[in-house]
Amino acid sequence: MATALKDEIKREQNQTRLSSAEREHFAPEAKSKSFQRNLLLSIGGVFLLFAVCFSVYQYQREKEYKIDILHSRLQMYNYEMVQTLGEDSLTSIRLFRDYVARHSMEGLRVSIIDKNGRVVLDSYEPQVDSLGNHLQRTEIQQALHDGNGYDIKRLSQSTHETYFYSATRFGNVIVRTAVPYSAELTQSLQADNTYIYFAVALTLLLGIVLYLSTRRISRHIGYLREFAVKAEEGEELDHELERRLPDDELGDISHTIIMLYWKLRHSEEEKIRIKRQLTQNAAHELKTPAASIHGYLESILDHPDMPEDKKKHFLERCYAQSERMNKLLLDMSALTRLDDMDDNKSSARREYRQVNVLEIIKNALDDTALYLQDKGIIPSLRVPEHIEVLGDHSLIYSIFRNLIDNTIAYATGASRLDINCTEVEGDGEHQSTEGRHFYQFTVSDNGPGVESVHLDHIFERFYRIDKGRSRKLGGTGLGLAIVKNAVAAHGGTTTALLTPGGGLTIRFTLARF
């Protein structure tokens, strides 16, 4: 039995398995792509680009900062010179040269330039007429426009040396100072490279951390991929549940995927087991009435001179057995429909309509009134006037009809059938239903009830408390199974309880409209 069940599961898995050609089509792509490499390159590339841009920005910023310091120092010299000599005395050759001589700096060159760009005085060149017009010089333009300005590493036409120029405007004249762009100055203006080394070290450290992290993620994704391939190939996966998973979100996701697979697989196995059991039980249940009908008809055909009363008795027995077969086939058809609804819940529930439950209960009681009267059972109905649910009319009718029929058939000696309804929040069993409102129904009798050991099994298909009692009473063994599946199709739950004082109570819920 177990081997046949596994073979059938593998046959169903083979129907959804990729063909060898399809696997070959996807295999090269899977091999050519490395999740770890792609993730590492993408994240690492973004970080590296950020590090390079930051380093360039920081280098330029620090260089400009040092240039600003040098520019500020020369500006201070210009201001001190003007404060000492006064703006009116700036063009005095004697005062100018005396100040420059007293406040001389290595390589310092000082020039006085008017607003038209003509050099008035120069500490390096006495013959200022040969210096030409400086109006278009960068530092002069900035000084005329902003009050001060500088120019970096420009070759002097008079000395043929490279200078750093700093100019300041004072009224109609501009004081310009310049220092040679020597190796010492070049080194002092260069940005400190310490932060670059720090950035490189930090990049390497983060690269290592990123590599280890992506390797870890890739390893677990590879494990999930391996698990998926094994599952698709139908291999045994019992050991996969024993594999140690990381205690983090990735481990939780992996564990959830594995558990969902196992629930799905076990669900498929259970469906196949139920289908096989249903087929075997149906064949067994149908065999008895079919054999009886065959025997009665054979007796009638073999004995043409059989008395009419006996022949009529045989035909009545044939009719009774055919009715039993017909009910069994109808119940099996109902269960098959419920199984199909369970596989296509969303599409099935789109066809649900607003249903008046009280009206359905009254119809079921009217249809069974004669049977209840024959058994001496008095129904008691305690249900609010307006009870509406979203569901299938025929299925909800089958719930109450099967429960009433079950009481009629098996509640021997019962005198009361109570149908009650209350409104509750949640169905009492699932946390996911908290906050939703349900109607809770109870159908109770005061018959002999059942032993508590049977309560967890009476909703199983073809389950019999007394192996011979159901057949003797005409039952199919599917009534309560139909009840449970029909309730589940409407989002509710079903429970069997012992009625206080004796009897059986079936409690179930239906979602409120």
Side-chain angles (χ1 to χ4, degrees):
M1 175 69 179
T3 304
L5 182 59
K6 287 186 176 180
D7 292 340
E8 187 163 351
I9 293 172
K10 287 186 176 181
R11 282 197 298 273
E12 291 198 358
Q13 291 174 339
N14 288 335
Q15 294 176 358
T16 59
R17 191 174 300 165
L18 292 174
S19 65
S20 58
E22 290 173 323
R23 286 196 298 271
E24 290 176 1
H25 173 72
F26 288 109
E29 182 180 359
K31 291 179 180 178
S32 63
K33 289 187 176 181
S34 169
F35 176 81
Q36 180 184 3
R37 183 180 68 250
N38 293 339
L39 185 61
L40 186 61
L41 289 177
S42 59
I43 299 178
V46 171
F47 178 77
L48 184 60
L49 179 63
F50 170 78
V52 170
C53 293
F54 175 77
S55 299
V56 172
Y57 167 77
Q58 184 66 21
Y59 180 85
Q60 290 298 122
R61 185 171 176 271
E62 188 171 352
K63 186 176 180 180
E64 290 176 0
Y65 171 72
K66 291 191 174 184
I67 290 173
D68 286 340
I69 291 177
L70 178 59
H71 177 55
S72 298
R73 288 176 59 191
L74 295 178
Q75 288 287 299
M76 289 178 63
Y77 183 93
N78 297 342
Y79 277 103
E80 288 177 359
M81 180 178 180
V82 172
Q83 287 179 355
T84 302
L85 300 180
E87 292 186 21
D88 296 335
S89 302
L90 284 176
T91 57
S92 172
I93 298 176
R94 183 178 61 80
L95 294 176
F96 171 76
R97 292 191 179 278
D98 288 345
Y99 184 86
V100 172
R102 289 196 308 272
H103 300 83
S104 178
M105 296 171 58
E106 183 179 357
L108 180 67
R109 181 178 180 180
V110 184
S111 303
I112 307 296
I113 304 169
D114 64 18
K115 64 179 182 179
N116 296 319
R118 185 175 64 87
V119 179
V120 178
L121 295 172
D122 186 84
S123 63
Y124 184 85
E125 181 61 53
Q127 302 296 326
V128 294
D129 294 337
S130 62
L131 295 179
N133 192 286
H134 286 31
L135 185 61
Q136 299 303 320
R137 302 291 175 87
T138 302
E139 70 278 8
I140 302 302
Q141 287 291 320
Q142 291 178 359
L144 290 172
H145 186 268
D146 301 325
N148 65 79
Y150 66 86
D151 194 11
I152 307 171
K153 208 171 182 179
R154 194 183 72 232
L155 184 67
S156 172
Q157 296 180 358
S158 58
T159 63
H160 303 290
E161 292 186 16
T162 303
Y163 284 90
F164 177 90
Y165 296 94
S166 176
T168 310
R169 180 180 178 182
F170 297 97
N172 293 325
V173 296
I174 298 172
V175 178
R176 186 186 71 174
T177 51
V179 291
Y181 212 91
S182 60
E184 182 180 352
L185 180 60
T186 301
Q187 185 176 2
S188 66
L189 291 180
Q190 287 181 346
D192 189 1
N193 294 328
T194 304
Y195 76 92
I196 296 180
Y197 302 141
F198 176 76
V200 171
L202 182 62
T203 301
L204 291 176
L205 178 62
L206 290 178
I208 294 173
V209 174
L210 179 62
Y211 171 78
L212 295 177
S213 299
T214 54
R215 183 182 178 185
R216 176 173 171 272
I217 295 173
S218 179
R219 183 173 65 250
H220 290 292
I221 290 180
Y223 159 59
L224 287 178
R225 182 176 178 273
E226 178 186 354
F227 176 84
V229 171
K230 288 182 179 180
E232 190 270 334
E233 293 291 342
E235 297 182 17
E236 293 293 334
L237 296 171
D238 293 339
H239 64 282
E240 298 295 334
L241 293 174
E242 301 173 0
R243 184 175 294 194
R244 185 174 180 83
L245 297 173
D247 187 18
D248 55 15
E249 292 83 356
L250 185 61
D252 293 340
I253 293 173
S254 302
H255 180 73
T256 301
I257 291 174
I258 295 172
M259 293 308 298
L260 286 175
Y261 167 79
W262 276 103
K263 286 181 180 179
L264 179 62
R265 179 168 179 175
H266 291 166
S267 176
E268 292 296 327
E269 291 178 355
E270 183 65 15
K271 285 182 179 180
I272 294 173
R273 184 189 69 81
I274 291 175
K275 288 179 180 178
R276 291 179 64 88
Q277 186 182 52
L278 179 61
T279 302
Q280 294 172 351
N281 289 336
H284 181 71
E285 294 294 329
L286 289 170
K287 181 173 65 176
T288 301
S292 298
I293 293 172
H294 181 271
Y296 288 133
L297 293 177
E298 186 178 29
S299 297
I300 293 173
L301 292 175
D302 290 344
H303 302 85
D305 56 347
M306 179 183 294
E308 289 298 322
D309 56 341
K310 191 172 184 179
K311 184 186 296 185
K312 182 180 179 182
H313 174 71
F314 282 2
L315 289 175
E316 288 175 349
R317 296 305 303 162
C318 286
Y319 177 77
Q321 293 296 333
S322 67
E323 281 290 303
R324 181 184 171 193
M325 290 178 63
N326 183 58
K327 190 174 189 311
L328 179 62
L329 292 172
L330 289 175
D331 287 348
M332 290 176 61
S333 175
L335 282 174
T336 302
R337 180 189 173 196
L338 288 169
D339 288 338
D340 291 339
M341 290 181 65
D342 186 57
D343 293 335
N344 303 278
K345 288 182 179 179
S346 58
S347 60
R349 290 180 179 179
R350 281 197 296 267
E351 299 179 1
Y352 283 178
R353 298 293 181 268
Q354 186 176 347
V355 177
N356 188 323
V357 180
L358 179 59
E359 181 181 338
I360 291 177
I361 298 174
K362 290 180 177 179
N363 290 338
L365 289 173
D366 289 341
D367 294 340
T368 56
L370 292 178
Y371 301 105
L372 291 169
Q373 185 176 353
D374 289 343
K375 291 287 186 176
I377 299 174
I378 300 174
S380 173
L381 188 61
R382 295 186 182 89
V383 178
E385 287 293 331
H386 301 288
I387 296 182
E388 293 181 343
V389 299
L390 192 66
D392 183 279
H393 187 281
S394 62
L395 287 179
I396 295 177
Y397 176 85
S398 70
I399 294 172
F400 291 97
R401 179 60 189 264
N402 277 287
L403 291 175
I404 296 171
D405 287 343
N406 188 73
T407 301
I408 294 171
Y410 304 118
T412 306
S415 60
R416 190 179 73 253
L417 172 63
D418 297 325
I419 302 177
N420 300 323
C421 175
T422 57
E423 186 174 344
V424 296
E425 183 175 337
D427 64 2
E429 294 190 12
H430 301 96
Q431 293 182 352
S432 60
T433 61
E434 290 183 2
R436 296 176 58 192
H437 290 273
F438 288 78
Y439 290 117
Q440 180 174 278
F441 296 89
T442 57
V443 180
S444 308
D445 63 66
N446 62 342
V450 299
E451 296 180 11
S452 58
V453 69
H454 298 295
L455 293 177
D456 294 333
H457 303 284
I458 61 175
F459 295 108
E460 295 178 7
R461 303 176 186 193
F462 294 109
Y463 183 80
R464 298 184 186 282
I465 297 173
D466 183 345
K467 300 301 180 181
R469 185 180 68 164
S470 292
R471 294 189 182 93
K472 186 182 299 183
L473 298 175
T476 64
L478 297 175
L480 292 182
I482 292 174
V483 169
K484 182 176 181 178
N485 283 269
V487 169
H490 289 81
T493 57
T494 313
T495 308
L497 308 167
L498 295 177
T499 305
L504 179 67
T505 296
I506 304 297
R507 184 178 65 198
F508 62 94
T509 57
L510 296 175
R512 193 182 70 176
F513 177 69

